[in-house]
Amino acid sequence: KISTFVGRLTTIDKIFRWIKQSDEPRTFLYGKGGSGKTTIAYQIANTLPSHGASVRISDSEPIDNVIFVSAKQRMIETISGHEIAFVGLDFLSERELYEAILTLGNWTAKSLSDIDITQLKEEMKEFFNLTANVVVIDDIDTLTTQGIEAGFDFIYDLLWKAKRRSKVMYTLRNAPTQSLSNAIEVLGLS
């Protein structure tokens, strides 16, 4: 239950206010490694489906899908403090990100790996035109720090032009230079 998520209620409140009240379609949850960004983002994504009827995107749009995808490859094991492999890896490229979103959104029964990136982007466009979504894209800086295209501009453009409203929340370690005004910092617990 989210109300027992000790020490993070202010951050969670900011995220819910962004989902419910802001016209901005994306936000960035950022903070040092081990600060709890993924845990907070996952908890939000896990809580929304059971409260979807009472939470509406920008106070108007009912939520059709809540999708959590991760590019995280390593995580800090809390007991020992050591880095270990993360088992929830969903994507390692722009293409795999789009495939994961469409697959988890139950968009199509056809194989997405058989279509080219242009067709895949058209599928994404239709998906966001016809459904209202909250998408959490965890650890996006796994791609950006390696110079791999992460679809920021494409997804942002989709969100603004779509017929239905959707929200995308990215988690990353460093403050996002492209949108500091739309970022929420997660401070480490002391």
Side-chain angles (χ1 to χ4, degrees):
K1 195 171 169 188
I2 213 156
S3 63
T4 60
F5 205 34
V6 177
R8 301 303 190 181
L9 294 179
T10 301
T11 303
I12 291 167
D13 184 56
K14 287 179 184 178
I15 295 168
F16 273 103
R17 276 189 278 132
W18 164 72
I19 292 169
K20 293 169 60 174
Q21 299 169 358
S22 176
D23 287 333
E24 177 60 43
R26 75 175 175 190
T27 195
F28 297 86
L29 196 60
Y30 73 97
K32 294 179 181 178
S35 63
K37 301 173 303 289
T38 297
T39 303
I40 292 168
Y42 182 79
Q43 189 67 32
I44 295 287
N46 196 36
T47 301
L48 276 173
S50 60
H51 294 85
S54 63
V55 177
R56 292 178 173 266
I57 298 172
S58 301
D59 278 338
S60 65
E61 193 79 55
I63 300 169
D64 296 316
N65 299 295
V66 178
I67 299 167
F68 181 94
V69 293
S70 184
K72 184 181 294 292
Q73 295 177 331
R74 312 284 302 156
M75 64 182 249
I76 295 175
E77 202 273 323
T78 54
I79 295 172
S80 69
H82 293 89
E83 265 193 27
I84 59 173
F86 182 73
V87 295
L89 178 67
D90 295 306
F91 68 96
L92 284 174
S93 69
E94 176 187 19
R95 178 186 183 85
E96 289 178 4
L97 170 60
Y98 302 156
E99 288 177 5
I101 290 170
L102 293 170
T103 299
L104 293 171
N106 295 314
W107 178 243
T108 180
K110 68 181 176 182
S111 174
L112 295 170
S113 59
D114 295 338
I115 61 176
D116 67 30
I117 189 72
T118 304
Q119 293 170 308
L120 189 59
K121 286 181 173 183
E122 282 300 313
E123 292 290 332
M124 286 283 288
K125 181 179 176 183
E126 285 304 305
F127 176 70
F128 282 102
N129 272 333
L130 297 173
T131 60
N133 309 279
V134 173
V135 180
V136 176
I137 302 174
D138 181 46
D139 230 24
I140 195 66
D141 48 351
T142 297
L143 274 59
T144 58
T145 57
Q146 296 175 32
I148 299 171
E149 172 60 43
F152 281 121
D153 294 334
F154 173 70
I155 291 174
Y156 193 59
D157 190 51
L158 279 182
L159 295 172
W160 277 112
K161 292 178 180 176
K163 294 174 184 165
R164 303 274 311 272
R165 289 180 182 241
S166 289
K167 300 279 185 156
V168 173
M169 179 171 57
Y170 295 96
T171 71
L172 63 166
R173 284 189 180 201
N174 297 313
T177 56
Q178 65 271 52
S179 187
L180 276 176
S181 63
N182 270 347
I184 301 167
E185 185 175 10
V186 178
L187 301 172
L189 293 173
S190 56

